[in-house]
PDB file of all heavy atoms in Angstrom:
ATOM      1  N   ARG A   1     117.989 -73.250  32.423  1.00  0.00           N
ATOM      2  CA  ARG A   1     118.339 -74.221  31.417  1.00  0.00           C
ATOM      3  C   ARG A   1     117.549 -73.944  30.130  1.00  0.00           C
ATOM      4  O   ARG A   1     116.521 -73.300  30.179  1.00  0.00           O
ATOM      5  CB  ARG A   1     118.013 -75.640  31.891  1.00  0.00           C
ATOM      6  CG  ARG A   1     118.945 -76.167  32.981  1.00  0.00           C
ATOM      7  CD  ARG A   1     118.482 -77.574  33.410  1.00  0.00           C
ATOM      8  NE  ARG A   1     119.475 -78.178  34.335  1.00  0.00           N
ATOM      9  CZ  ARG A   1     119.475 -77.931  35.644  1.00  0.00           C
ATOM     10  NH1 ARG A   1     118.617 -77.093  36.165  1.00  0.00           N
ATOM     11  NH2 ARG A   1     120.374 -78.543  36.405  1.00  0.00           N
ATOM     12  N   CYS A   2     118.023 -74.516  29.017  1.00  0.00           N
ATOM     13  CA  CYS A   2     117.315 -74.380  27.760  1.00  0.00           C
ATOM     14  C   CYS A   2     115.865 -74.854  27.945  1.00  0.00           C
ATOM     15  O   CYS A   2     115.626 -75.899  28.537  1.00  0.00           O
ATOM     16  CB  CYS A   2     117.972 -75.238  26.667  1.00  0.00           C
ATOM     17  SG  CYS A   2     119.667 -74.733  26.292  1.00  0.00           S
ATOM     18  N   ARG A   3     114.915 -74.103  27.428  1.00  0.00           N
ATOM     19  CA  ARG A   3     113.492 -74.405  27.623  1.00  0.00           C
ATOM     20  C   ARG A   3     113.124 -75.803  27.170  1.00  0.00           C
ATOM     21  O   ARG A   3     112.261 -76.442  27.779  1.00  0.00           O
ATOM     22  CB  ARG A   3     112.657 -73.334  26.942  1.00  0.00           C
ATOM     23  CG  ARG A   3     111.163 -73.502  27.109  1.00  0.00           C
ATOM     24  CD  ARG A   3     110.383 -72.320  26.536  1.00  0.00           C
ATOM     25  NE  ARG A   3     110.697 -71.098  27.312  1.00  0.00           N
ATOM     26  CZ  ARG A   3     110.044 -70.764  28.434  1.00  0.00           C
ATOM     27  NH1 ARG A   3     109.105 -71.521  28.906  1.00  0.00           N
ATOM     28  NH2 ARG A   3     110.356 -69.627  29.066  1.00  0.00           N
ATOM     29  N   TRP A   4     113.724 -76.268  26.092  1.00  0.00           N
ATOM     30  CA  TRP A   4     113.302 -77.549  25.514  1.00  0.00           C
ATOM     31  C   TRP A   4     113.502 -78.722  26.474  1.00  0.00           C
ATOM     32  O   TRP A   4     112.832 -79.760  26.354  1.00  0.00           O
ATOM     33  CB  TRP A   4     114.022 -77.840  24.196  1.00  0.00           C
ATOM     34  CG  TRP A   4     115.519 -77.985  24.225  1.00  0.00           C
ATOM     35  CD1 TRP A   4     116.444 -77.024  23.935  1.00  0.00           C
ATOM     36  CD2 TRP A   4     116.264 -79.165  24.553  1.00  0.00           C
ATOM     37  NE1 TRP A   4     117.717 -77.535  24.074  1.00  0.00           N
ATOM     38  CE2 TRP A   4     117.639 -78.845  24.451  1.00  0.00           C
ATOM     39  CE3 TRP A   4     115.893 -80.454  24.924  1.00  0.00           C
ATOM     40  CZ2 TRP A   4     118.647 -79.763  24.695  1.00  0.00           C
ATOM     41  CZ3 TRP A   4     116.900 -81.383  25.181  1.00  0.00           C
ATOM     42  CH2 TRP A   4     118.270 -81.031  25.062  1.00  0.00           C
ATOM     43  N   CYS A   5     114.433 -78.607  27.428  1.00  0.00           N
ATOM     44  CA  CYS A   5     114.723 -79.737  28.282  1.00  0.00           C
ATOM     45  C   CYS A   5     113.595 -79.999  29.323  1.00  0.00           C
ATOM     46  O   CYS A   5     113.611 -81.015  30.005  1.00  0.00           O
ATOM     47  CB  CYS A   5     116.067 -79.607  28.979  1.00  0.00           C
ATOM     48  SG  CYS A   5     116.142 -78.443  30.325  1.00  0.00           S
ATOM     49  N   ALA A   6     112.635 -79.071  29.417  1.00  0.00           N
ATOM     50  CA  ALA A   6     111.508 -79.264  30.317  1.00  0.00           C
ATOM     51  C   ALA A   6     110.361 -80.020  29.651  1.00  0.00           C
ATOM     52  O   ALA A   6     109.359 -80.339  30.282  1.00  0.00           O
ATOM     53  CB  ALA A   6     110.993 -77.915  30.794  1.00  0.00           C
ATOM     54  N   ALA A   7     110.493 -80.348  28.365  1.00  0.00           N
ATOM     55  CA  ALA A   7     109.407 -80.973  27.608  1.00  0.00           C
ATOM     56  C   ALA A   7     109.152 -82.425  28.014  1.00  0.00           C
ATOM     57  O   ALA A   7     108.074 -82.947  27.809  1.00  0.00           O
ATOM     58  CB  ALA A   7     109.693 -80.875  26.105  1.00  0.00           C
ATOM     59  N   ALA A   8     110.178 -83.082  28.569  1.00  0.00           N
ATOM     60  CA  ALA A   8     110.036 -84.483  29.001  1.00  0.00           C
ATOM     61  C   ALA A   8     111.050 -84.749  30.092  1.00  0.00           C
ATOM     62  O   ALA A   8     112.171 -84.209  30.045  1.00  0.00           O
ATOM     63  CB  ALA A   8     110.225 -85.413  27.821  1.00  0.00           C
ATOM     64  N   PRO A   9     110.743 -85.595  31.067  1.00  0.00           N
ATOM     65  CA  PRO A   9     111.673 -85.856  32.186  1.00  0.00           C
ATOM     66  C   PRO A   9     113.035 -86.349  31.732  1.00  0.00           C
ATOM     67  O   PRO A   9     114.056 -85.987  32.315  1.00  0.00           O
ATOM     68  CB  PRO A   9     110.931 -86.925  32.997  1.00  0.00           C
ATOM     69  CG  PRO A   9     109.482 -86.723  32.659  1.00  0.00           C
ATOM     70  CD  PRO A   9     109.458 -86.323  31.231  1.00  0.00           C
ATOM     71  N   GLU A  10     113.041 -87.190  30.685  1.00  0.00           N
ATOM     72  CA  GLU A  10     114.339 -87.739  30.229  1.00  0.00           C
ATOM     73  C   GLU A  10     115.209 -86.747  29.514  1.00  0.00           C
ATOM     74  O   GLU A  10     116.383 -86.990  29.315  1.00  0.00           O
ATOM     75  CB  GLU A  10     114.097 -88.980  29.340  1.00  0.00           C
ATOM     76  CG  GLU A  10     113.250 -88.721  28.114  1.00  0.00           C
ATOM     77  CD  GLU A  10     111.754 -88.966  28.323  1.00  0.00           C
ATOM     78  OE1 GLU A  10     111.254 -88.715  29.441  1.00  0.00           O
ATOM     79  OE2 GLU A  10     111.096 -89.429  27.365  1.00  0.00           O
ATOM     80  N   PHE A  11     114.664 -85.581  29.163  1.00  0.00           N
ATOM     81  CA  PHE A  11     115.447 -84.575  28.478  1.00  0.00           C
ATOM     82  C   PHE A  11     116.453 -83.921  29.401  1.00  0.00           C
ATOM     83  O   PHE A  11     117.521 -83.480  28.949  1.00  0.00           O
ATOM     84  CB  PHE A  11     114.547 -83.505  27.863  1.00  0.00           C
ATOM     85  CG  PHE A  11     113.845 -83.908  26.606  1.00  0.00           C
ATOM     86  CD1 PHE A  11     114.017 -85.134  26.055  1.00  0.00           C
ATOM     87  CD2 PHE A  11     112.981 -83.008  25.965  1.00  0.00           C
ATOM     88  CE1 PHE A  11     113.367 -85.516  24.882  1.00  0.00           C
ATOM     89  CE2 PHE A  11     112.321 -83.363  24.807  1.00  0.00           C
ATOM     90  CZ  PHE A  11     112.527 -84.622  24.263  1.00  0.00           C
ATOM     91  N   LEU A  12     116.131 -83.782  30.681  1.00  0.00           N
ATOM     92  CA  LEU A  12     116.989 -83.044  31.613  1.00  0.00           C
ATOM     93  C   LEU A  12     118.371 -83.674  31.722  1.00  0.00           C
ATOM     94  O   LEU A  12     119.372 -82.952  31.539  1.00  0.00           O
ATOM     95  CB  LEU A  12     116.326 -82.923  32.973  1.00  0.00           C
ATOM     96  CG  LEU A  12     117.094 -82.069  34.013  1.00  0.00           C
ATOM     97  CD1 LEU A  12     117.267 -80.637  33.498  1.00  0.00           C
ATOM     98  CD2 LEU A  12     116.358 -82.090  35.354  1.00  0.00           C
ATOM     99  N   PRO A  13     118.503 -84.963  32.055  1.00  0.00           N
ATOM    100  CA  PRO A  13     119.865 -85.520  32.125  1.00  0.00           C
ATOM    101  C   PRO A  13     120.604 -85.487  30.801  1.00  0.00           C
ATOM    102  O   PRO A  13     121.821 -85.282  30.753  1.00  0.00           O
ATOM    103  CB  PRO A  13     119.654 -86.968  32.650  1.00  0.00           C
ATOM    104  CG  PRO A  13     118.222 -87.247  32.366  1.00  0.00           C
ATOM    105  CD  PRO A  13     117.478 -85.950  32.460  1.00  0.00           C
ATOM    106  N   TYR A  14     119.838 -85.688  29.707  1.00  0.00           N
ATOM    107  CA  TYR A  14     120.454 -85.628  28.372  1.00  0.00           C
ATOM    108  C   TYR A  14     120.991 -84.239  28.111  1.00  0.00           C
ATOM    109  O   TYR A  14     122.148 -84.070  27.634  1.00  0.00           O
ATOM    110  CB  TYR A  14     119.420 -86.028  27.320  1.00  0.00           C
ATOM    111  CG  TYR A  14     119.895 -85.870  25.891  1.00  0.00           C
ATOM    112  CD1 TYR A  14     120.861 -86.746  25.363  1.00  0.00           C
ATOM    113  CD2 TYR A  14     119.403 -84.866  25.060  1.00  0.00           C
ATOM    114  CE1 TYR A  14     121.318 -86.603  24.042  1.00  0.00           C
ATOM    115  CE2 TYR A  14     119.852 -84.719  23.762  1.00  0.00           C
ATOM    116  CZ  TYR A  14     120.801 -85.595  23.255  1.00  0.00           C
ATOM    117  OH  TYR A  14     121.240 -85.451  21.977  1.00  0.00           O
ATOM    118  N   HIS A  15     120.215 -83.222  28.428  1.00  0.00           N
ATOM    119  CA  HIS A  15     120.624 -81.829  28.275  1.00  0.00           C
ATOM    120  C   HIS A  15     121.824 -81.477  29.148  1.00  0.00           C
ATOM    121  O   HIS A  15     122.773 -80.829  28.676  1.00  0.00           O
ATOM    122  CB  HIS A  15     119.445 -80.910  28.613  1.00  0.00           C
ATOM    123  CG  HIS A  15     119.775 -79.459  28.733  1.00  0.00           C
ATOM    124  ND1 HIS A  15     120.217 -78.897  29.924  1.00  0.00           N
ATOM    125  CD2 HIS A  15     119.747 -78.461  27.826  1.00  0.00           C
ATOM    126  CE1 HIS A  15     120.436 -77.609  29.719  1.00  0.00           C
ATOM    127  NE2 HIS A  15     120.151 -77.309  28.477  1.00  0.00           N
ATOM    128  N   ASP A  16     121.806 -81.924  30.384  1.00  0.00           N
ATOM    129  CA  ASP A  16     122.835 -81.524  31.354  1.00  0.00           C
ATOM    130  C   ASP A  16     124.172 -82.257  31.161  1.00  0.00           C
ATOM    131  O   ASP A  16     125.198 -81.708  31.580  1.00  0.00           O
ATOM    132  CB  ASP A  16     122.329 -81.780  32.769  1.00  0.00           C
ATOM    133  CG  ASP A  16     121.366 -80.714  33.251  1.00  0.00           C
ATOM    134  OD1 ASP A  16     120.937 -79.871  32.435  1.00  0.00           O
ATOM    135  OD2 ASP A  16     121.013 -80.734  34.441  1.00  0.00           O
ATOM    136  N   THR A  17     124.161 -83.415  30.592  1.00  0.00           N
ATOM    137  CA  THR A  17     125.396 -84.230  30.538  1.00  0.00           C
ATOM    138  C   THR A  17     125.859 -84.607  29.146  1.00  0.00           C
ATOM    139  O   THR A  17     127.000 -85.082  29.009  1.00  0.00           O
ATOM    140  CB  THR A  17     125.228 -85.514  31.376  1.00  0.00           C
ATOM    141  OG1 THR A  17     124.204 -86.350  30.757  1.00  0.00           O
ATOM    142  CG2 THR A  17     124.835 -85.209  32.797  1.00  0.00           C
ATOM    143  N   GLU A  18     125.019 -84.479  28.129  1.00  0.00           N
ATOM    144  CA  GLU A  18     125.403 -84.934  26.800  1.00  0.00           C
ATOM    145  C   GLU A  18     125.323 -83.868  25.723  1.00  0.00           C
ATOM    146  O   GLU A  18     126.276 -83.660  24.996  1.00  0.00           O
ATOM    147  CB  GLU A  18     124.517 -86.115  26.368  1.00  0.00           C
ATOM    148  CG  GLU A  18     124.729 -87.388  27.129  1.00  0.00           C
ATOM    149  CD  GLU A  18     123.955 -88.529  26.508  1.00  0.00           C
ATOM    150  OE1 GLU A  18     124.140 -88.818  25.316  1.00  0.00           O
ATOM    151  OE2 GLU A  18     123.103 -89.129  27.223  1.00  0.00           O
ATOM    152  N   TRP A  19     124.152 -83.235  25.601  1.00  0.00           N
ATOM    153  CA  TRP A  19     123.871 -82.384  24.456  1.00  0.00           C
ATOM    154  C   TRP A  19     124.842 -81.200  24.413  1.00  0.00           C
ATOM    155  O   TRP A  19     124.928 -80.425  25.383  1.00  0.00           O
ATOM    156  CB  TRP A  19     122.431 -81.887  24.504  1.00  0.00           C
ATOM    157  CG  TRP A  19     121.963 -81.278  23.239  1.00  0.00           C
ATOM    158  CD1 TRP A  19     121.600 -81.895  22.101  1.00  0.00           C
ATOM    159  CD2 TRP A  19     121.763 -79.863  22.981  1.00  0.00           C
ATOM    160  NE1 TRP A  19     121.191 -80.984  21.139  1.00  0.00           N
ATOM    161  CE2 TRP A  19     121.258 -79.732  21.673  1.00  0.00           C
ATOM    162  CE3 TRP A  19     121.928 -78.714  23.774  1.00  0.00           C
ATOM    163  CZ2 TRP A  19     120.966 -78.498  21.099  1.00  0.00           C
ATOM    164  CZ3 TRP A  19     121.640 -77.485  23.201  1.00  0.00           C
ATOM    165  CH2 TRP A  19     121.175 -77.379  21.892  1.00  0.00           C
ATOM    166  N   GLY A  20     125.574 -81.085  23.360  1.00  0.00           N
ATOM    167  CA  GLY A  20     126.484 -79.969  23.196  1.00  0.00           C
ATOM    168  C   GLY A  20     127.872 -80.173  23.779  1.00  0.00           C
ATOM    169  O   GLY A  20     128.743 -79.320  23.633  1.00  0.00           O
ATOM    170  N   PHE A  21     128.098 -81.320  24.441  1.00  0.00           N
ATOM    171  CA  PHE A  21     129.422 -81.613  24.990  1.00  0.00           C
ATOM    172  C   PHE A  21     130.235 -82.337  23.907  1.00  0.00           C
ATOM    173  O   PHE A  21     129.745 -83.274  23.269  1.00  0.00           O
ATOM    174  CB  PHE A  21     129.288 -82.476  26.243  1.00  0.00           C
ATOM    175  CG  PHE A  21     128.798 -81.722  27.471  1.00  0.00           C
ATOM    176  CD1 PHE A  21     127.464 -81.453  27.625  1.00  0.00           C
ATOM    177  CD2 PHE A  21     129.727 -81.263  28.405  1.00  0.00           C
ATOM    178  CE1 PHE A  21     127.029 -80.722  28.721  1.00  0.00           C
ATOM    179  CE2 PHE A  21     129.264 -80.539  29.512  1.00  0.00           C
ATOM    180  CZ  PHE A  21     127.928 -80.296  29.671  1.00  0.00           C
ATOM    181  N   PRO A  22     131.470 -81.933  23.701  1.00  0.00           N
ATOM    182  CA  PRO A  22     132.257 -82.481  22.580  1.00  0.00           C
ATOM    183  C   PRO A  22     132.639 -83.925  22.771  1.00  0.00           C
ATOM    184  O   PRO A  22     132.999 -84.348  23.872  1.00  0.00           O
ATOM    185  CB  PRO A  22     133.501 -81.568  22.556  1.00  0.00           C
ATOM    186  CG  PRO A  22     133.635 -81.136  23.992  1.00  0.00           C
ATOM    187  CD  PRO A  22     132.234 -80.955  24.498  1.00  0.00           C
ATOM    188  N   ILE A  23     132.583 -84.676  21.688  1.00  0.00           N
ATOM    189  CA  ILE A  23     133.020 -86.083  21.725  1.00  0.00           C
ATOM    190  C   ILE A  23     133.865 -86.388  20.503  1.00  0.00           C
ATOM    191  O   ILE A  23     133.726 -85.767  19.474  1.00  0.00           O
ATOM    192  CB  ILE A  23     131.835 -87.050  21.793  1.00  0.00           C
ATOM    193  CG1 ILE A  23     130.886 -86.845  20.604  1.00  0.00           C
ATOM    194  CG2 ILE A  23     131.083 -86.936  23.101  1.00  0.00           C
ATOM    195  CD1 ILE A  23     129.782 -87.915  20.541  1.00  0.00           C
ATOM    196  N   ALA A  24     134.742 -87.382  20.670  1.00  0.00           N
ATOM    197  CA  ALA A  24     135.601 -87.785  19.566  1.00  0.00           C
ATOM    198  C   ALA A  24     135.608 -89.297  19.407  1.00  0.00           C
ATOM    199  O   ALA A  24     136.375 -89.821  18.612  1.00  0.00           O
ATOM    200  CB  ALA A  24     137.037 -87.280  19.811  1.00  0.00           C
ATOM    201  N   ASP A  25     134.754 -89.996  20.127  1.00  0.00           N
ATOM    202  CA  ASP A  25     134.659 -91.431  20.032  1.00  0.00           C
ATOM    203  C   ASP A  25     133.873 -91.805  18.790  1.00  0.00           C
ATOM    204  O   ASP A  25     132.714 -91.372  18.624  1.00  0.00           O
ATOM    205  CB  ASP A  25     133.974 -92.015  21.288  1.00  0.00           C
ATOM    206  CG  ASP A  25     133.843 -93.505  21.215  1.00  0.00           C
ATOM    207  OD1 ASP A  25     134.776 -94.218  21.618  1.00  0.00           O
ATOM    208  OD2 ASP A  25     132.781 -93.985  20.752  1.00  0.00           O
ATOM    209  N   ASP A  26     134.461 -92.587  17.912  1.00  0.00           N
ATOM    210  CA  ASP A  26     133.809 -92.868  16.619  1.00  0.00           C
ATOM    211  C   ASP A  26     132.482 -93.588  16.743  1.00  0.00           C
ATOM    212  O   ASP A  26     131.542 -93.286  16.011  1.00  0.00           O
ATOM    213  CB  ASP A  26     134.766 -93.667  15.715  1.00  0.00           C
ATOM    214  CG  ASP A  26     135.766 -92.793  14.997  1.00  0.00           C
ATOM    215  OD1 ASP A  26     135.778 -91.582  15.227  1.00  0.00           O
ATOM    216  OD2 ASP A  26     136.540 -93.326  14.152  1.00  0.00           O
ATOM    217  N   ARG A  27     132.385 -94.528  17.665  1.00  0.00           N
ATOM    218  CA  ARG A  27     131.107 -95.242  17.837  1.00  0.00           C
ATOM    219  C   ARG A  27     130.029 -94.290  18.310  1.00  0.00           C
ATOM    220  O   ARG A  27     128.883 -94.373  17.846  1.00  0.00           O
ATOM    221  CB  ARG A  27     131.257 -96.409  18.798  1.00  0.00           C
ATOM    222  CG  ARG A  27     131.831 -97.639  18.169  1.00  0.00           C
ATOM    223  CD  ARG A  27     131.461 -98.874  19.019  1.00  0.00           C
ATOM    224  NE  ARG A  27     132.295-100.002  18.715  1.00  0.00           N
ATOM    225  CZ  ARG A  27     132.163-101.145  19.331  1.00  0.00           C
ATOM    226  NH1 ARG A  27     131.277-101.313  20.272  1.00  0.00           N
ATOM    227  NH2 ARG A  27     132.939-102.167  19.034  1.00  0.00           N
ATOM    228  N   ARG A  28     130.343 -93.438  19.252  1.00  0.00           N
ATOM    229  CA  ARG A  28     129.353 -92.503  19.736  1.00  0.00           C
ATOM    230  C   ARG A  28     128.947 -91.515  18.667  1.00  0.00           C
ATOM    231  O   ARG A  28     127.780 -91.120  18.562  1.00  0.00           O
ATOM    232  CB  ARG A  28     129.885 -91.738  20.952  1.00  0.00           C
ATOM    233  CG  ARG A  28     129.983 -92.602  22.223  1.00  0.00           C
ATOM    234  CD  ARG A  28     130.283 -91.734  23.450  1.00  0.00           C
ATOM    235  NE  ARG A  28     129.185 -90.814  23.691  1.00  0.00           N
ATOM    236  CZ  ARG A  28     129.312 -89.715  24.447  1.00  0.00           C
ATOM    237  NH1 ARG A  28     130.493 -89.416  24.983  1.00  0.00           N
ATOM    238  NH2 ARG A  28     128.278 -88.920  24.652  1.00  0.00           N
ATOM    239  N   LEU A  29     129.899 -91.120  17.865  1.00  0.00           N
ATOM    240  CA  LEU A  29     129.550 -90.220  16.725  1.00  0.00           C
ATOM    241  C   LEU A  29     128.628 -90.929  15.739  1.00  0.00           C
ATOM    242  O   LEU A  29     127.652 -90.339  15.282  1.00  0.00           O
ATOM    243  CB  LEU A  29     130.824 -89.740  16.042  1.00  0.00           C
ATOM    244  CG  LEU A  29     131.666 -88.752  16.826  1.00  0.00           C
ATOM    245  CD1 LEU A  29     133.054 -88.609  16.185  1.00  0.00           C
ATOM    246  CD2 LEU A  29     130.972 -87.399  16.916  1.00  0.00           C
ATOM    247  N   PHE A  30     128.929 -92.198  15.451  1.00  0.00           N
ATOM    248  CA  PHE A  30     128.086 -92.906  14.512  1.00  0.00           C
ATOM    249  C   PHE A  30     126.692 -93.106  15.118  1.00  0.00           C
ATOM    250  O   PHE A  30     125.684 -93.050  14.411  1.00  0.00           O
ATOM    251  CB  PHE A  30     128.719 -94.244  14.125  1.00  0.00           C
ATOM    252  CG  PHE A  30     127.948 -94.942  13.028  1.00  0.00           C
ATOM    253  CD1 PHE A  30     127.983 -94.452  11.735  1.00  0.00           C
ATOM    254  CD2 PHE A  30     127.137 -96.038  13.284  1.00  0.00           C
ATOM    255  CE1 PHE A  30     127.261 -95.056  10.698  1.00  0.00           C
ATOM    256  CE2 PHE A  30     126.411 -96.645  12.289  1.00  0.00           C
ATOM    257  CZ  PHE A  30     126.441 -96.155  10.997  1.00  0.00           C
ATOM    258  N   GLU A  31     126.624 -93.379  16.419  1.00  0.00           N
ATOM    259  CA  GLU A  31     125.334 -93.506  17.083  1.00  0.00           C
ATOM    260  C   GLU A  31     124.527 -92.214  16.942  1.00  0.00           C
ATOM    261  O   GLU A  31     123.357 -92.258  16.568  1.00  0.00           O
ATOM    262  CB  GLU A  31     125.516 -93.816  18.577  1.00  0.00           C
ATOM    263  CG  GLU A  31     124.207 -93.814  19.368  1.00  0.00           C
ATOM    264  CD  GLU A  31     124.394 -94.030  20.854  1.00  0.00           C
ATOM    265  OE1 GLU A  31     125.045 -95.021  21.239  1.00  0.00           O
ATOM    266  OE2 GLU A  31     123.873 -93.202  21.608  1.00  0.00           O
TER     267      GLU A  31
END
């Protein structure tokens, strides 16, 4: 996995399920 995701425990699920995955929901984009 990308090295940065080991910097904190909460980074792993964010890296594995969100970061870099395409989204088109306007609220999520604004968030």
